[in-house]
């Protein structure tokens, strides 16, 4: 009965905004006290924050804005430069989309980030959430901004009994029903901030929450029950062998991945295809970049992507001289110069493991 009465109550946006004014974290792209951020900063931060924590993003945001202080500067950079600056941040398609997005904004919008959600959605790499976030936060437009944090808050405040991902539409409608009459940008940030800092997945800090008096889950002590989730799928496991070829000049061989697909256009050490079975000796021989004596390292490098896990066995080979690789763009590089290339975290980890081994042996 209590639940039914409370579920009809919209939580107080005024209380949430008061809490936000007092408690919001400082971020290099965030403006407070009624000021709006530079739309370029807002756009850049949204690209970087997709699937990535604030603390990880901050140094990248600062280095990008120092090197490319405006959309126009970023549009003039080469894709390789943008990718190299993005190295280590993960989800590398974002770097390519960001660069394309900057070029389209310069070519079609006179270098000004559009204000309208539909125009924003037409830009490369910008989906419904990012368009709503930029419209609301950079331009104070009325927009429903729903990320995973907002979904969790809504699911708890209204005790939504439908599991995710099926509940997404309902959670979006509930989020829309809570919008205030003004301060749309601050409100959008406030709900996300609430989810990120107070209404956390585990141990939400309900006694300090500005919505505690309006929250059905808190009233019934069932906060961590929400959001309900459908049965979890097991993450697939893949395997590969990776070849670190070294020559007498102390250089290592890298190749560039195909432009399309996972880690598109990034640099890596040559590998066997990533498959569900460990590669056989025959497959290793077929995909090794040269006929060398390949030393097998016992400890593999493991990496988790969003949709599968990868285990890579390391193979180290020494060659008297540099050699060429058929059908692939390749480069011989000194260890110390690897950081000048666009390297995904996986390649960096393989490089670290191989280098540690070489130093010890
Ligand atoms: S009262 Fe607790 S569960 Fe409810 S919104 Fe606040 S932090 Fe989340």
């Amino acid at each position: 009965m209590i639940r039914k009465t409370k579920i009809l109550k919209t939580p107080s946006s005024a209380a949430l905004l008061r809490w936000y004014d007092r408690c919001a974290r400082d971020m290099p792209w965030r403006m407070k006290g009624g000021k709006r951020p530079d739309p370029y900063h807002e756009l850049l931060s949204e690209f970087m924050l997709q699937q990535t924590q604030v603390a990880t993003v901050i140094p990248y945001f600062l280095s990008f804005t120092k090197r490319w202080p405006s959309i126009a500067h970023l549009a003039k950079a080469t894709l390789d430069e943008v990718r190299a600056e993005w190295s280590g941040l993960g989800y590398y398609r974002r770097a390519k989309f960001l660069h394309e997005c900057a070029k389209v904004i310069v070519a079609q919008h006179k270098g000004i980030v559009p204000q309208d959600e539909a125009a924003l959605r037409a830009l490369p790499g910008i989906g419904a959430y990012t368009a709503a976030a930029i419209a609301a936060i950079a331009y104070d437009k009325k927009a429903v901004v729903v990320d995973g944090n907002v979904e969790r808050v809504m699911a708890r405040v209204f005790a939504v009994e439908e599991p995710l991902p099926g509940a997404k539409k309902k959670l979006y409608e509930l989020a829309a029903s809570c919008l205030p009459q003004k301060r749309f940008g601050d409100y959008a940030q406030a709900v996300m901030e609430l989810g990120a800092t107070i209404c956390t997945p585990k141990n939400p800090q309900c006694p300090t929450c500005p919505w505690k008096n309006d929250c059905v889950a808190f009233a019934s002590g069932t906060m961590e029950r929400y959001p309900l989730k459908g049965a979890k799928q097991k993450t697939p496991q893949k395997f590969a062998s990776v070849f670190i070829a070294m020559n007498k000049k102390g250089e290592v061989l890298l190749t560039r991945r195909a432009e399309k697909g996972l880690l598109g256009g990034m640099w890596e050490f040559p590998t066997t295809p990533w498959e569900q079975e460990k590669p056989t000796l025959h497959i290793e021989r077929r995909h090794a970049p040269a006929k060398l004596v390949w030393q097998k390292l016992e400890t593999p490098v493991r990496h988790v992507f969003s949709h599968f896990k990868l285990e890579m066995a390391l193979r180290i080979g020494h060659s008297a001289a540099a050699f060429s690789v058929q059908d692939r763009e390749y480069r011989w590089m000194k260890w110390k110069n690897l950081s000048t290339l666009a390297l995904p975290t996986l390649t960096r980890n393989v490089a670290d493991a191989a280098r540690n081994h070489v130093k010890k042996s």
Side-chain angles (χ1 to χ4, degrees), residues 178-350:
C178 295
L179 286 186
Q181 298 299 316
K182 55 183 181 177
R183 294 189 68 189
F184 303 113
D186 288 345
Y187 175 81
Q189 293 178 90
V191 194
M192 290 191 280
E193 187 80 351
L194 187 70
T197 60
I198 302 283
C199 193
T200 46
K202 298 263 177 257
N203 301 318
Q205 305 298 304
C206 302
T208 61
C209 176
W211 278 357
K212 63 177 182 285
N213 295 330
D214 306 317
C215 178
V216 179
F218 181 51
S220 54
T222 55
M223 298 80 77
E224 291 194 22
R225 177 174 145 76
Y226 303 99
L228 271 57
K229 295 207 174 106
K232 207 172 174 191
Q233 301 286 327
K234 203 170 170 244
T235 311
Q237 173 75 61
K238 293 190 180 184
F239 300 91
S241 295
V242 57
F243 303 95
I244 295 93
M246 285 181 279
N247 66 26
K248 284 205 165 151
K249 288 202 280 182
E251 295 169 326
V252 283
L253 178 77
L254 291 116
T255 69
R256 196 201 277 272
R257 290 180 65 83
E259 199 57 45
K260 281 198 174 163
L262 186 69
L263 308 178
M266 308 286 289
W267 290 85
E268 66 175 5
F269 297 100
T271 80
T272 60
W274 302 358
E275 305 281 10
Q276 283 167 356
E277 305 287 333
K278 288 189 180 179
T280 61
L281 200 55
H282 175 70
I283 291 174
E284 284 192 351
R285 281 196 188 125
R286 183 141 41 101
H287 293 276
K291 278 189 183 166
L292 303 178
V293 177
W294 293 102
Q295 184 192 357
K296 298 182 178 183
L297 266 56
E298 276 185 16
T299 311
V301 168
R302 296 188 173 89
H303 191 78
V304 180
F305 292 97
S306 58
H307 51 299
F308 69 93
K309 294 187 276 187
L310 179 65
E311 182 179 304
M312 280 189 148
L314 272 68
R315 307 286 181 251
I316 295 189
H318 297 270
S319 169
F323 53 83
S324 62
V325 184
Q326 302 298 312
D327 306 328
R328 297 287 294 268
E329 187 180 349
Y330 70 92
R331 213 174 269 185
W332 287 93
M333 297 283 289
K334 295 267 188 210
W335 286 110
K336 65 179 169 61
N337 294 336
L338 288 188
S339 61
T340 61
L341 289 179
L343 298 184
T345 303
L346 171 61
T347 305
R348 291 180 184 203
N349 291 345
V350 169

Side-chain angles (χ1 to χ4, degrees), residues 11-54:
S12 163
S13 55
L16 181 66
L17 283 163
R18 277 196 300 277
W19 168 82
Y20 179 75
D21 289 340
R22 224 178 40 248
C23 303
R25 292 168 295 172
D26 287 325
M27 296 175 195
W29 52 86
R30 177 172 276 171
M31 301 297 278
K32 293 184 185 170
K35 292 187 201 141
R36 303 261 60 83
D38 179 334
Y40 165 52
H41 289 181
E42 171 53 22
L43 178 141
L44 180 62
S45 69
E46 290 298 343
F47 268 88
M48 291 182 163
L49 286 165
Q50 289 165 19
Q51 317 274 345
T52 312
Q53 301 284 325
V54 168

